[in-house]
Amino acid sequence: MFSKMTRLLWIGIVLVTLLALAACAPAPTPAPTAAPPTAAPKPAATTAPVATAAPQATTAPAPTAAPKAAEPKKLLLGFTASQTGAQQVASKKQIEGLQLWLDDVKKAGGIKLKDGTTYLPEIKFYDDESKTDRVQTLYTKLINEDKADFLLSPYSSTLVKAAAVVSEQNDKVMITAGAADDATMEQGFKKTFQLYTPASRYLTGAADALKKFVPTAKKVAIIYEKDSFSTSVANALQPYAKSIGFEVVLFEGYDTGTTDFAPFINKITAANPDAILGGGHFADGTTFSKQLFEKKVPIQFVAILVAPPEPTFKDIGDAALGIIGPSQWEPQVTFSAESAKAANLPYYGPSNKAFTDAYLAKYKESPSYHSAGGYAQGLVLQKAIEDADSVDPAKIVAALDKMNLMTFYGVIKFSTDAKTHGKQQAHGMVYMQWQKDSAGKLVTQIVWPLEAKSADAVLRK
Amino acid sequence: MKTLSSPFIWIILVVVGGASLLPILTNSVSLREDMFLMLMLVILASSINIIMGYTGYVSFGHIVFFGLGGYLAFFLMKEFQVQFMLAALVGGAGASLIAFFIGIPVLRLRGAYFALATIGINEAFRSFFTNFDLFGGAVGMFFNFSVYDAYGGAKNAGQLAYYAMVVLALVTIGTSFVIKKSKFGLGLMAIREDQDASMVLGIDPARLKVLTYTISAFFPAVAGALFFFKNGLIEPGPAFELHRSIEALVMVMLGGYGTVTGPIVGAVVYERLRGFLITDPTLSNAHLVIAGVLLLLIVLFVTAGVIGWVRQRVPALRRYLE
Amino acid sequence: MNIEALIASSIDGLMLGFVFGLMAMGLTLIFGVMKVINLGHGPFIVMGMFAILVMSQLGINPYLGLVIVVLLGLLTGIVVYFVAVHRVINAPELTTLLATFSVNMILIGALTIIFSTSPRGLDLELPSFRTGAITVLGTRFVAVLVAVGVTIALYSFLYRTRTGKSIRAVANNRGAAELMGINSSWILALSFGIGTLLAMISGGLLATLFSFTVLSGGGLEVKSFVIVVLGGLGNPTGALFGGIIIGLLESITTIFIPVSWVPVFEFVVFVLILLFRPNGLFGAR
Amino acid sequence: MSILAIKDLESGYGELQILWGLSLELQPGRLTSLVGSNGSGKTTLLRAVTGLLKPWKGRITFDGKDVTHLSPHEKAEMGLVLVPEARQLFTDMSVLENLEMGATPKGARAEFKQTLEWVYTLLPRLKERQSQIAGTLSGGEQQMVAIARGLMAKPKVLMFDELSLGLSPLLVINLFEVLVKLKGEGLTMLLVEQNVQMALAVSDYAYVLSNGRLETEGEAKKVREMESVRKAYLGL
């Protein structure tokens, strides 16, 4: 009898333990995973402004801005970041850019509506380890538990795709940066808005540039990493290159994780192209460029994805020379209030110089296009709130649909077509090239489009 | 059936089932997401345990079936609008069939050779799918959101996928238990202890192993189908992620290899621990290091895993902790 | 198809193959001596890469740095052996797999904290020799010399010195070696150290050829498995030939089939060899 | 003074106890044999003495020092060497390399050349075979390599486990002749054998083991005469 009792007791204990393990943790009290987000609102915001006096975000004039309204309301922006894993570096830059925007808004006293309501944005983010399943879990959490008002995106196409699915499922507005995938934006999304130039337009400009810089060029080789993003770029580039009269002598993908390009370069050389277009991500891009250089491949025009705009691309030394890369933004871009006026568009936000200087002052590093994208995420949302004069999601969507303006990051306009809703329409790429300055140091210059160039293109030997 | 009269299986099913109801009772979507992932890991770990814990064959690349099931089902759903549960079952059956044909030659290998072969198989499939344009190649496949309309919208589809995952988890655990307790399972353990001696006992190791491998491929495949259905997109990288496979091994080891409860406890503990480490601001940078150190300590000092350890220490519990 | 490209690629592949062989040699040595599949192999390779990177940033010539890498690798390996492997050396395979996997996690975690996952590269220029379409890259040529040198050194050590012979004795019959007065724990630790230093040297050489990240080890580790199986588990000479075969295979197939199919081909060959020649291409039976 | 003394030794595998309080002593310069039927615990005793198996209780003294808990290689270094059952050669290595490995203890290493010379005169066949891979030798030759390898350690006590197992009678006689020669040179030896007849014929002193306990002991000649031993082991 007694032993039966103990047995039951044991069952009870096991049951309770397992229940506790399996379920309690994530349940009502936001225990483990719900631990507060990392470094988000930096105390820096309350301290004195930085010495270089970062320029105020030129908030659109709010005509009858009631002075000193009530307490500013909180506006929670949620997203995930890759603090670990493959996308760590770019993701960090993106957050830094966003953080800078946040500082600027704080300095301006928040986002003000016409009725005097002020919103003070705060950010909350979790580490997604660069993994899609974590992205989805964490976005669900941001939406349902943290009650994020608006969503921003993680970095990289694959992760953004995963996040967009969740945000669309939950009817949230999300502004994405760091994702250029076309396919993602052709799923019939209603509330997802893309800041990056889509992959399909990533390298088409390079083909145009080739035509201009090397008028004799006839044959091009398109080589690309076999991943989602680079494949989309290449798939769009091939018909375009043909349409403007090039012969594509080689169109071939290489496996993600390819380390050695020597045999592939032999194959490319054998096809005898006048230019190489394509690429993938950083590691393959640098190795490819380096081996191209070492093998003294005499191709005058090489434009590859992602790697060249990274400052560390210059680690490979002279091998970087002459390599062209598409970029969403570069510190030398010439978008300004004047050029906006010329294009008959409104200009919004800080000037390019102001952004670049403030970034350099705060992080002791020049901003990359990831940083600019991060800042632009916030800026676009801010503008949409001001235009909508509300934080109501439906009104924000309407404002974003209507948006057509220029910022330091470039022109922004979203597709309103049902099939491709939210896809970036206006933003264009700039093409930068590694060149040597007068002192013999490697620097980047914008070479295309011609109206935005900071230097003339130099052909490889 | 004698096996079903064991109190253990009912306890464990009730506990897991009960825990799965929590998100529905509390109506918390994010808890549901957490549980969805957790149940998926339980399924992965349990099915690896079926082949590894019972026969001693360390399948490093078991995630290949997760990917295969996911891809097959996704293709059916996308191209032929097959209902998702049917597609998932077909995906599972397809993966099992592939496991059957792979298993016949590969299970002849022993020890390290088998482990290496499973890695090779996973990588071969991953690179194959990267190039296989019918399934989207490197870009993968994605649903148009209208696919979910058939299930009452994307939100509702998530809920349905969750129910399916709960049922799958319970079936996996049940199967794991029945195999362990059956004569079949006994044969497997004999193989684990000494394959050559088991033949003397009249056991046909080759047949038994292939059958087990085929069964153990089914569950991750269905789980993959459900996961990618909810995900809305599938790509070769996340579908055949070797790392996830190794993590599932860690879970089995953590909980206790060769037990039914072990993989469940292992999956829950591992996932909670990781969740805790990566969201804690001070620990998140070091989370890999901390997890590694903990794993090492367990491997070195608690070789039998949590459940194995409890079973050794408290013999009275053995009947309730298979 | 272009005959010149084929020859050029064969030369490139052959040269890279030596480095691959060296890389796999560490893995196969450890397996041969103690029947442990070292899942920490990838991070060891990466440690070699970053050791060279740090030294070149400090102004040390990368090739000179390899000498320091040897010592560093030996030490790391011995420490890792005693911390993580020694206690479970007689346990079933799964246990040692997980023990070395936890080493993998710890090392990758630590390296990520120190270096982040951003890509790095060495700015190293050596002259290359060129005739027609065939270019022999200077870095690659030196890498081959180093790889051959290290292989010769390893073999003289294993066959000419008493300690080396003790390693072979322990690999052959640990119990008997112990009975003959050989301290097998020490020999095992030393072997692990040598396996590690081989991985690190190959990492250092690879760093002179390609750019890399903290996460580069994963792919290279899997490649090492392929090579080791090709050459026969536990057979260092086999590993060298396995490396050369993989190098050639990759480079030659690149000419004939789209490059992205090369890994498919490679892994199918890997599984087939495991199935039909589990002792490697050169092994008995 | 005995050179090796085992006192009240208990040991076994896992939870299974095999040895139940064994005590035996080896006198220097003598050949002692340990006999008993299959499963009586002879090999277990040797494993416990060399340290391959942990002693549970009791004490082992070698050359005046307590060596109970030392590992096999430490004991070998001190001069307590075993020629193991089934030879356990380094089958992938040459005969010469096997012998070199035998000479691992520091003292032996220094005198490697002389010892090798001596071993080759004792077992001349090995000299012819010195560069052959050990695994390719015949069973008898392999046993010779095993003995030679043990001798290369310059042991103070050399123990043999089942020297005659699986060898033809003629070979066995050859090997036992070698033992006699070694005894003549003053080497202390412990011979563990199933072949009781042969063992007792060449030994000075003998222990008889049964079920992990000592059944009897005495001068080899006397043990041979014992009725119980004759019945149980000699089939007379």
Side-chain angles (χ1 to χ4, degrees), chain A residues 7-8 10-11 14-15 18-19 21-28 31-39 83-84 88 126-129 131-134 136-138 140-142 144-145 157-158 161-162 164-166 168-171 181 183-184 186-189 225-229 231-232 235 253 255-256 419, chain B residues 7 11-12 14-15 18-19 22 26 28-35 37-38 40 126-127 130-133 137-140 142-146 148 154-155 158 227 229-233 235 238 241 243-244 247 261 264-265 268-269 271-272 274-276 278-281 284-285 287 314 316-317 319-321:
Chain A
R7 223 175 262 173
L8 274 175
W10 275 119
I11 300 176
V14 175
L15 208 118
L18 274 173
L19 260 177
L21 281 171
C24 290
T33 34
T38 47
Q83 289 170 300
T84 45
Q88 190 193 12
Y126 298 105
D127 180 12
D128 56 36
E129 296 178 86
K131 285 185 183 155
T132 50
D133 49 337
R134 291 222 74 84
Q136 295 207 326
T137 321
L138 293 171
T140 312
K141 186 182 171 63
L142 285 163
N144 291 288
E145 260 172 50
S157 294
T158 304
K161 263 194 237 179
V165 170
V166 175
E168 285 286 328
Q169 282 175 355
N170 288 279
D171 273 338
D181 218 46
T184 318
E186 287 164 11
Q187 297 187 61
F189 285 161
E225 185 185 348
K226 269 270 182 181
D227 74 320
S228 173
F229 162 71
T231 309
S232 316
N235 283 340
D255 195 54
T256 301
K419 246 166 120 187
Chain B
I11 297 173
I12 192 79
V14 166
V15 171
L22 271 180
T26 57
S28 157
V29 185
S30 69
L31 180 58
R32 193 195 74 198
E33 283 291 309
D34 281 343
M35 282 297 296
L37 210 57
M38 187 92 77
M40 190 180 94
R126 186 187 58 74
S127 34
T130 307
N131 287 292
F132 189 53
D133 288 332
V139 182
F142 58 91
F143 286 148
N144 190 297
F145 254 58
S146 59
Y148 295 120
K155 232 173 176 166
F227 177 78
F229 165 69
K230 194 189 69 91
N231 225 10
L233 60 106
E235 280 179 43
E241 197 181 357
H243 193 82
R244 205 200 288 274
E247 278 184 328
T261 342
I264 305 171
V265 174
V268 172
V269 171
E271 180 56 20
R272 294 284 89 213
R274 201 176 66 151
F276 170 72
I278 61 165
T279 45
D280 185 285
S284 86
N285 269 332
H287 89 266
V314 196
L317 266 182
R319 205 165 119 75
Y320 304 99
L321 275 182

Side-chain angles (χ1 to χ4, degrees), chain A residues 7 10-18 21, chain B residues 6-13 15 49 54 173 177 180-181 255-266 304-322:
Chain A
R7 223 175 262 173
W10 275 119
I11 300 176
I13 292 171
V14 175
L15 208 118
V16 168
T17 323
L18 274 173
L21 281 171
Chain B
S6 153
F8 162 77
I9 187 62
W10 297 111
I11 297 173
I12 192 79
L13 289 180
V15 171
N49 185 50
Y54 300 164
I173 295 166
F177 178 73
K180 184 173 178 182
K181 285 286 131 179
Y257 147 102
T259 64
V260 177
T261 342
I264 305 171
V265 174
V306 176
I307 294 300
W309 186 79
V310 172
R311 276 170 63 91
Q312 281 166 7
R313 291 300 152 104
V314 196
L317 266 182
R318 285 188 193 168
R319 205 165 119 75
Y320 304 99
L321 275 182
E322 293 288 354

Side-chain angles (χ1 to χ4, degrees), chain D residues 134-150:
Chain D
T136 63
L137 297 175
S138 72
E141 288 168 334
Q142 291 199 13
Q143 189 61 280
M144 284 181 202
V145 177
I147 295 172
R149 188 178 63 174

Side-chain angles (χ1 to χ4, degrees), chain D residues 68-133:
Chain D
T68 318
H69 298 293
L70 294 188
S71 58
H73 72 88
E74 288 166 317
K75 289 179 190 167
E77 181 71 43
M78 293 171 69
L80 181 60
V81 175
L82 173 72
V83 177
E85 185 181 353
R87 305 179 281 270
Q88 306 288 344
L89 294 185
F90 304 119
T91 46
D92 297 342
M93 299 170 78
S94 72
V95 170
L96 185 61
E97 282 175 327
N98 268 276
L99 301 185
E100 252 182 272
M101 288 299 102
T104 297
K106 278 187 202 71
R109 232 180 272 189
E111 292 172 39
F112 175 72
K113 281 228 172 83
Q114 298 92 298
T115 323
L116 188 67
E117 210 58 32
W118 171 62
V119 166
Y120 278 163
T121 46
L122 199 65
L123 298 159
R125 178 74 82 56
L126 296 186
K127 190 164 185 177
E128 300 161 25
R129 302 275 187 206
Q130 66 172 0
S131 45
Q132 198 168 329
I133 297 298

Side-chain angles (χ1 to χ4, degrees), chain A residues 109-160:
Chain A
I111 305 172
K112 298 183 183 88
L113 300 190
K114 292 195 182 81
D115 63 3
T117 329
T118 310
Y119 287 98
L120 206 55
E122 273 179 28
I123 58 174
K124 181 161 202 168
F125 64 99
Y126 298 105
D127 180 12
D128 56 36
E129 296 178 86
S130 315
K131 285 185 183 155
T132 50
D133 49 337
R134 291 222 74 84
V135 165
Q136 295 207 326
T137 321
L138 293 171
Y139 270 86
T140 312
K141 186 182 171 63
L142 285 163
I143 295 164
N144 291 288
E145 260 172 50
D146 301 324
K147 307 280 179 210
D149 296 295
F150 295 100
L151 299 174
L152 303 178
S153 74
Y155 176 79
S156 90
S157 294
T158 304
L159 298 185
V160 173

Side-chain angles (χ1 to χ4, degrees), chain A residues 277-294:
Chain A
L277 305 173
H281 287 89
F282 189 90
D284 50 329
T286 37
T287 303
F288 182 76
S289 311
K290 189 178 168 191
Q291 293 188 338
L292 217 50
F293 176 74
E294 285 179 332

Side-chain angles (χ1 to χ4, degrees), chain C residues 170-210:
Chain C
V170 168
N172 198 180
N173 190 330
R174 199 190 307 163
E178 186 75 9
L179 284 173
M180 292 306 116
I182 296 172
N183 183 346
S184 63
S185 307
W186 167 241
I187 291 294
L188 291 178
L190 184 67
S191 316
F192 207 89
I194 294 172
T196 308
L197 84 82
L198 289 172
M200 282 181 63
I201 293 182
S202 67
L205 288 178
L206 287 170
T208 65
L209 306 179
F210 312 127

